[in-house]
Amino acid sequence: MNQTLDPAPSSALERPLVGVLALQGDVREHEHALREGGADVVKVRRPEELERLDGLVLPGGESTAIDKLARTFGVAEPLKERIAGGLPVYGSCAGLILLADRLADPATDLSGVPQQTFGGIDMLVRRNAFGRQVDSFEADLDIAPVDAVDPGSPRPVRAVFIRAPWVESVGDGVDVLATVPVTYRHAHDAAEHRADAGAPDADGAEAGGVARIVAVRSGNLLATSFHPEVTGERRIHRLFIQIIRGEA
């Protein structure tokens, strides 16, 4: 087993080195956001590239594809070790799924083997919870830690949800940063989507506009159901860089 490496001390992180897992997904958008936020950025595809990182981003994309490719390229187990050792990681959309300890509806391969996650956050996540691609939507979210990043001009985060997951429950050590109300349309579309896929409903809890969790933090781990990298919103990435530096 490889030795787990602790993150570098914050005094050495004036411009931290942040990797973006570049196996599949919207890698380039995260690279731009991180550089604008004050980080040096590298693409990560091999296990040895994890060792020198101060932080890592798991991009949006297909969580099943990223899982399979991570195992194929030998990245999955070393990454799990680094997460367990305290490596700061931010996951958006598919990245949130991959940081979950538990999935309510894991995909299965042709042999019936369920998809795996890297884990790290004590939460239960449902994939594609808001429905299909055509059910994508935007919402304004008030996220207090993000306002603290730019206190001179507090404003909502414009969040884009594209085939997005939601968090159904969290453990005691997880801070909920944002929720969105699940409207009747989302409830209907998501339930219909799960019925088409042969998946069970989510405990019937969508009805009545229940608020669903879409952003969480657990120690050095940050995750959102939405894609700040596609809207020009940079405060999420700046918050993550502050976490890496030990400033947030």
Side-chain angles (χ1 to χ4, degrees):
M1 180 179 295
N2 294 333
Q3 182 179 0
T4 301
L5 300 176
D6 292 328
S10 59
S11 61
L13 299 182
E14 290 185 8
R15 194 167 180 90
L17 180 63
V18 182
V20 180
L21 190 63
L23 301 176
Q24 192 269 340
D26 52 350
V27 174
R28 182 178 301 175
E29 293 86 349
H30 281 289
E31 289 183 292
H32 291 326
L34 289 165
R35 289 194 179 98
E36 289 182 16
D40 292 327
V41 186
V42 294
K43 293 183 176 70
V44 174
R45 297 187 180 93
R46 297 185 295 272
E48 59 269 22
E49 294 169 336
L50 293 168
E51 296 180 357
R52 63 194 183 104
L53 299 179
D54 301 310
L56 178 71
V57 168
L58 305 178
E62 295 289 343
S63 63
T64 52
I66 296 172
D67 162 41
K68 291 176 183 178
L69 290 169
R71 285 184 278 145
T72 298
F73 287 96
V75 173
E77 290 305 317
L79 178 51
K80 291 177 185 178
E81 292 179 11
R82 288 231 56 193
I83 291 172
L87 177 70
V89 180
Y90 166 52
S92 67
C93 198
L96 176 142
I97 296 170
L98 291 164
L99 284 173
D101 284 347
R102 301 175 304 283
L103 299 181
D105 58 342
T108 56
D109 63 20
L110 295 177
S111 301
V113 177
Q115 75 179 98
Q116 299 177 24
T117 68
F118 305 134
I121 300 181
D122 183 7
M123 61 182 176
L124 175 68
V125 167
R126 185 171 293 278
R127 302 163 49 251
N128 301 330
F130 289 99
R132 299 177 175 87
Q133 186 88 10
V134 296
D135 303 310
S136 301
F137 68 101
E138 298 183 20
D140 288 330
L141 305 178
D142 292 320
I143 305 177
V146 173
D147 285 340
V149 169
D150 189 7
S153 56
R155 62 192 184 280
V157 171
R158 189 65 176 171
V160 175
F161 295 83
I162 305 170
R163 294 180 60 203
W166 67 41
V167 179
E168 296 202 343
S169 62
V170 298
D172 292 339
V174 181
D175 294 326
V176 174
L177 303 184
T179 63
V180 295
V182 178
T183 66
Y184 175 80
R185 178 180 66 82
H186 292 142
H188 174 78
D189 293 340
E192 188 178 69
H193 169 73
R194 287 193 292 274
D196 290 346
D201 201 0
D203 304 323
E206 294 91 343
V210 173
R212 289 299 188 182
I213 301 167
V214 294
V216 297
R217 179 180 176 182
S218 179
N220 284 335
L221 305 179
L222 179 69
T224 63
S225 297
F226 53 89
H227 294 266
E229 71 279 5
V230 303
T231 63
E233 170 64 68
R234 295 296 182 247
R235 289 172 296 165
I236 298 289
H237 291 80
R238 288 168 60 192
L239 171 63
F240 179 55
I241 290 169
Q242 288 184 351
I243 291 172
I244 294 172
R245 291 173 176 155
E247 298 171 353

